[in-house]
Amino acid sequence: MLSPSNLGDPELLALANKILADSGFDIRQYKERPLKRRLAVRMRSCQVSSYEEYSRKLKDDPGEYAKLLDTLTINVTKFYRNAETYLAVFGKVLPIILEESQNRPVQIWSAGCSSGEEPYSLAIMWREFSQARGLSKECSIYATDIDAQILEKARAGIYPRSSMDEIPQKLIGKYFENRGDKYHLSQQIKDMVQFEKLDLFSRYPYREVDLIFCRNVLIYFSRQTQEDIFYKFAEALRANGFLVLGKVENMFGQMKDTFVSFDIKERIYRTVK
Ligand SMILES: C[S@@+](CC[C@H](N)C(=O)[O-])C[C@H]1O[C@@H](n2cnc3c(N)ncnc32)[C@H](O)[C@@H]1O
């Protein structure tokens, strides 16, 4: 169960409750200070100075909800972001998953996938890993985000050069076609990833997952909300499943009955048996 609210300011809480009732988006789970900073951006742009006035703006201009969501959910990402994490997963995690999965298909979930660079990097990595071993093992990759618009971009699989500065050059040549100033991802990789809209504050439809990537998403959420999400990830993972966080994120001490550290530097954790 998610904690009901993390917000101390009653006016902000009233606004948060209205947003939840109208749009289903639970901003009460955000850390208060960054939330206020981001709301201030939208309020300045709407030329209102109180949460009450902003609440009226949301009522009068339904388009404002999309802008608010855009401001709160930062979509920055790239292929092979923090490439050393992918190296660690390729070299240390995938061999374990391969051995433990035996004859069953492997399941990977990119939670908070933004425009798709992360789940597609995972698909490329899996393909490279199985090709190097001469395997044709099935791997399902689920990719979810709260932002429906960004998921449309992800499904298209067309990227600017700026999202490719960490992915090895030989993989660009192998899996992308350069047309003009854009890079089109190959259909074989696109076909490996299933995109779905999913709010991390809601229930998760996945079970028996081998590996979850959830990087640069939880940082915006309150500690209590992060903890709730960690427990839900543990439920979605199989015993001894892997969770990879972003370089800015950490597992808390009190989660040690649920997760153990596998690679501290790369923020890789495993569920306890
Ligand atoms: C900075 S991006 C991270 C993308 C990728 N994981 C990476 O590390 O490169 C954060 C993503 O989290 C998504 N997000 C924010 N709040 C969310 C929520 N409650 N549920 C699901 N996704 C959320 C945003 O829409 C955004 O696309």
Side-chain angles (χ1 to χ4, degrees):
M1 268 295 283
L2 280 173
S3 52
S5 174
N6 154 63
L7 305 175
D9 178 335
E11 278 181 38
L12 177 59
L13 183 58
L15 173 66
N17 285 334
K18 178 198 157 40
I19 291 173
L20 179 63
D22 289 354
S23 72
F25 185 38
D26 194 355
I27 67 166
R28 301 172 313 169
Q29 311 300 334
Y30 279 71
K31 287 180 184 157
E32 187 154 344
R33 252 196 299 163
L35 175 62
K36 281 184 161 173
R37 261 201 316 271
R38 303 261 181 77
L39 279 171
V41 172
R42 286 311 313 148
M43 286 164 68
R44 260 199 309 278
S45 147
C46 299
Q47 299 182 320
V48 299
S49 54
S50 71
Y51 293 133
E52 206 183 330
E53 277 178 273
Y54 187 59
S55 181
R56 273 198 298 276
K57 171 74 187 170
L58 282 167
K59 182 165 167 254
D60 298 342
D61 176 5
E64 178 55 27
Y65 270 112
K67 292 180 191 153
L68 174 63
L69 185 67
D70 227 32
T71 309
L72 290 175
T73 60
I74 291 180
N75 297 126
V76 177
T77 183
K78 55 169 71 170
F79 283 95
Y80 277 65
R81 181 177 194 176
N82 301 122
E84 61 286 9
T85 304
Y86 283 89
L87 270 180
V89 172
F90 188 93
K92 297 199 285 186
V93 173
L94 295 189
I96 297 175
I97 290 178
L98 180 65
E99 194 188 317
E100 291 182 353
S101 62
Q102 298 191 353
N103 293 326
R104 63 168 174 78
V106 166
Q107 300 194 90
I108 298 178
W109 175 19
S110 163
C113 66
S114 188
S115 35
E117 288 87 333
E118 182 176 272
Y120 286 142
S121 299
L122 291 165
I124 290 172
M125 186 176 66
W126 180 262
R127 182 149 294 234
E128 288 291 300
F129 177 80
S130 23
Q131 273 180 359
R133 283 164 178 73
L135 303 169
S136 57
K137 193 173 171 65
E138 211 184 304
C139 175
S140 302
I141 301 178
Y142 313 112
T144 62
D145 202 281
I146 193 174
D147 182 341
Q149 254 179 322
I150 206 79
L151 289 172
E152 280 312 305
K153 220 175 132 189
R155 288 187 185 101
I158 301 170
Y159 296 96
R161 177 80 213 180
S162 56
S163 67
M164 329 263 291
D165 58 6
E166 285 204 61
I167 179 170
Q169 191 63 40
K170 74 165 199 268
L171 298 182
I172 300 180
K174 194 165 168 189
Y175 295 109
F176 294 83
E177 193 191 325
N178 182 200
R179 292 189 219 158
D181 60 351
K182 294 280 193 281
Y183 288 78
H184 292 239
L185 185 63
S186 74
Q187 195 60 41
Q188 51 163 346
I189 297 297
K190 282 168 69 175
D191 289 345
M192 288 175 69
V193 181
Q194 298 164 44
F195 291 97
E196 286 293 339
K197 183 170 182 248
L198 179 80
D199 183 349
L200 284 172
F201 305 151
S202 67
R203 281 172 59 86
Y204 307 160
Y206 309 115
R207 287 292 175 270
E208 303 290 299
V209 174
D210 295 279
L211 168 64
I212 296 177
F213 260 55
C214 185
R215 305 193 307 159
N216 310 298
V217 181
L218 302 179
I219 185 73
Y220 307 113
F221 304 154
S222 72
R223 205 179 154 100
Q224 178 59 53
T225 301
Q226 290 188 35
E227 203 180 308
D228 294 335
I229 291 175
F230 288 143
Y231 282 121
K232 292 198 289 178
F233 280 159
E235 268 173 35
L237 283 165
R238 42 175 63 251
N240 288 323
F242 291 90
L243 170 65
V244 180
L245 301 179
K247 281 289 170 73
V248 287
E249 289 143 335
N250 269 312
M251 182 67 64
F252 319 124
Q254 72 263 32
M255 299 298 300
K256 65 181 181 305
D257 294 338
T258 312
F259 284 97
V260 289
S261 182
F262 178 79
D263 181 329
I264 294 185
K265 187 160 166 275
E266 299 309 329
R267 308 285 202 270
I268 305 175
Y269 302 87
R270 282 193 100 171
T271 45
V272 175
K273 252 188 224 171

